[in-house]
């Protein structure tokens, strides 16, 4: 069975799409047949971050409305084997996704032998976000270390536990993973940001990764290349550790403390 993972948060701009792209790529790199689906109808960010925006002909809504087959709409990633993207449409109709339609797509992906389906959720707690999480087996709760983001994540935890298919059917609950993104240890030390411990203490779900705030993320997204492919970058390495943990490995957390700059770095920057 395909593992259906929703990347969600409630709040916008916290790093869901960045994380969806990185996580899907990392799973595929480890030999897992993976598809990443953009549920953010109308925005279409994922295909930009994956660098496949010019190849989009058909999209998720076309498939659901029967204007294209799933096979026609899936875009094979140009860099990473085993990786496919199902782009969102630019339609303004946010209700273009139906539960029946999404269920059918997920069943078909399962039959096509996918190991992982990564669902990039839109912000908010309205229909698009609900649709992205409804069928999930697991959720990656993407949270920035600040009070408003943690609050919205707490809200999403309530929704996962009450409005998902698993909740409706009385099945095992969605497995929750906390992903702290845009972490800046210096700002934590100065008291401008919550620490990872604070966030875990409030949300009380298992931590799967801590991604540092890093200029490499913007650089990667400008190049249309998931940051996990940048093996020199702290954020890329942190995403890679996150994948290993998702696949059951124990890994120590890195980048939790401020890097002490040596004399040369202090003098010359870097
Ligand atoms: N670890 C990070 N370091 C620096 N910038 C980041 C990081 N993660 C995300 N960003 C930036 O934050 C913005 C929002 O990210 P995005 O993934 O689109 O969030 P969402 O999908 O939750 O709205 C983007 O400009 C992205 O480049
Ligand atoms: Mg997004």
């Amino acid at each position: 069975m395909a593992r259906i993972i929703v990347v969600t948060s409630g709040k916008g701009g916290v790093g869901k799409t960045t994380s969806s792209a990185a996580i899907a790529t990392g799973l595929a790199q480890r030999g897992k047949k993976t598809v990443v689906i953009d549920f953010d109808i109308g925005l279409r960010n994922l295909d930009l971050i994956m660098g496949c925006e010019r190849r989009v002909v058909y999209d998720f809504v076309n498939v659901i409305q029967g204007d294209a087959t799933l096979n026609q709409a899936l875009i094979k990633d140009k860099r990473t084997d085993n990786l496919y993207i199902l782009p969102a449409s630019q339609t303004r109709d946010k209700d273009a996704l139906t539960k029946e339609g999404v269920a059918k797509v997920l069943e078909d992906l399962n039959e096509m032998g996918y190991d992982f389906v990564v669902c990039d959720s839109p912000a908010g707690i309205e229909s698009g976000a609900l649709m992205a999480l409804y069928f999930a087996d697991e959720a990656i709760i993407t949270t920035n270390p600040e009070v408003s983001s943690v609050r919205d994540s707490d809200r999403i935890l309530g929704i996962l536990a009450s409005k998902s298919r698993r909740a409706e059917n009385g099945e095992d609950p969605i497995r929750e993973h906390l992903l702290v993104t845009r972490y800046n240890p210096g700002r934590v030390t100065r008291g401008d940001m919550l620490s990872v411990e604070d966030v875990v203490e409030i949300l009380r779900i298992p931590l799967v990764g801590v991604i540092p705030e890093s200029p490499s993320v913007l650089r990667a997204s400008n190049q249309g290349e998931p940051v996990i492919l940048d093996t020199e970058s702290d954020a890329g390495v942190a995403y890679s550790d996150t994948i290993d943990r998702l696949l059951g490995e124990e890994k120590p957390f890195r980048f939790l403390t401020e890097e002490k700059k040596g004399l040369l770095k202090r003098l010359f920057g870097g």
Side-chain angles (χ1 to χ4, degrees), residues 7 11-18 20 38 40 43-46 49 120-123:
V7 179
K11 197 168 188 299
V14 295
K16 290 181 294 298
T17 301
T18 302
S20 299
D38 191 349
D40 207 344
L43 271 183
R44 276 192 55 184
N45 270 332
L46 181 70
I49 293 195
D120 180 20
S121 174

Side-chain angles (χ1 to χ4, degrees), residues 9 11-19 40 45 49 120-121 123 142 181-183 211-215 217-218 221 235 239:
S9 70
K11 197 168 188 299
V14 295
K16 290 181 294 298
T17 301
T18 302
S19 299
D40 207 344
N45 270 332
I49 293 195
D120 180 20
S121 174
T142 313
T181 50
R182 311 199 68 164
Y183 197 64
I211 313 299
E213 171 85 23
S214 167
V217 172
L218 189 60
S221 95
Y239 274 118

Side-chain angles (χ1 to χ4, degrees), residues 229-242:
L229 295 176
D230 183 354
T231 51
E232 309 269 287
S233 81
D234 47 0
V237 169
Y239 274 118
S240 192
D241 286 352
T242 301

Side-chain angles (χ1 to χ4, degrees), residues 64-106:
I64 285 185
Q65 295 182 338
D67 301 325
T69 64
L70 189 50
N71 211 34
Q72 286 176 291
L74 285 170
I75 300 173
K76 190 177 183 325
D77 189 79
K78 57 187 170 195
R79 303 182 196 89
T80 311
D81 282 342
N82 309 308
L83 180 58
Y84 293 80
I85 300 119
L86 184 55
S89 91
Q90 264 171 338
T91 166
R92 274 170 212 216
D93 180 9
K94 298 246 174 210
D95 296 319
L97 299 180
T98 60
K99 249 183 209 172
E100 297 69 32
V102 175
K104 175 79 171 56
V105 166
L106 294 173

Side-chain angles (χ1 to χ4, degrees), residues 33-184:
K33 189 171 176 186
T34 303
V35 56
V36 55
I37 305 181
D38 191 349
F39 275 79
D40 207 344
I41 304 302
L43 271 183
R44 276 192 55 184
N45 270 332
L46 181 70
D47 48 303
L48 291 170
I49 293 195
M50 299 294 296
C52 67
E53 71 280 6
R54 287 182 299 275
R55 298 194 185 182
V56 176
V57 178
Y58 294 116
D59 59 57
F60 196 13
V61 171
N62 291 142
V63 175
I64 285 185
Q65 295 182 338
D67 301 325
T69 64
L70 189 50
N71 211 34
Q72 286 176 291
L74 285 170
I75 300 173
K76 190 177 183 325
D77 189 79
K78 57 187 170 195
R79 303 182 196 89
T80 311
D81 282 342
N82 309 308
L83 180 58
Y84 293 80
I85 300 119
L86 184 55
S89 91
Q90 264 171 338
T91 166
R92 274 170 212 216
D93 180 9
K94 298 246 174 210
D95 296 319
L97 299 180
T98 60
K99 249 183 209 172
E100 297 69 32
V102 175
K104 175 79 171 56
V105 166
L106 294 173
E107 273 163 34
D108 290 350
L109 288 169
N110 189 40
E111 270 167 31
M112 289 160 85
Y114 281 90
D115 298 306
F116 283 91
V117 179
V118 177
C119 304
D120 180 20
S121 174
I125 49 168
E126 272 104 62
S127 64
L130 293 179
M131 201 63 82
L133 67 79
Y134 185 74
F135 295 97
D137 301 309
E138 298 176 45
I140 295 183
I141 322 291
T142 313
T143 309
N144 291 165
E146 40 183 63
V147 172
S148 64
S149 175
V150 175
R151 269 201 199 121
D152 284 2
S153 290
D154 214 9
R155 192 107 202 263
I156 278 289
L157 288 172
I159 290 174
L160 289 169
S162 58
K163 295 213 164 196
S164 60
R165 177 178 61 170
R166 283 174 172 270
E168 274 180 13
N169 296 347
E171 294 168 15
D172 288 343
I174 291 177
R175 206 170 140 214
E176 299 152 342
H177 310 274
L178 174 61
L179 181 66
V180 176
T181 50
R182 311 199 68 164
Y183 197 64
N184 183 330

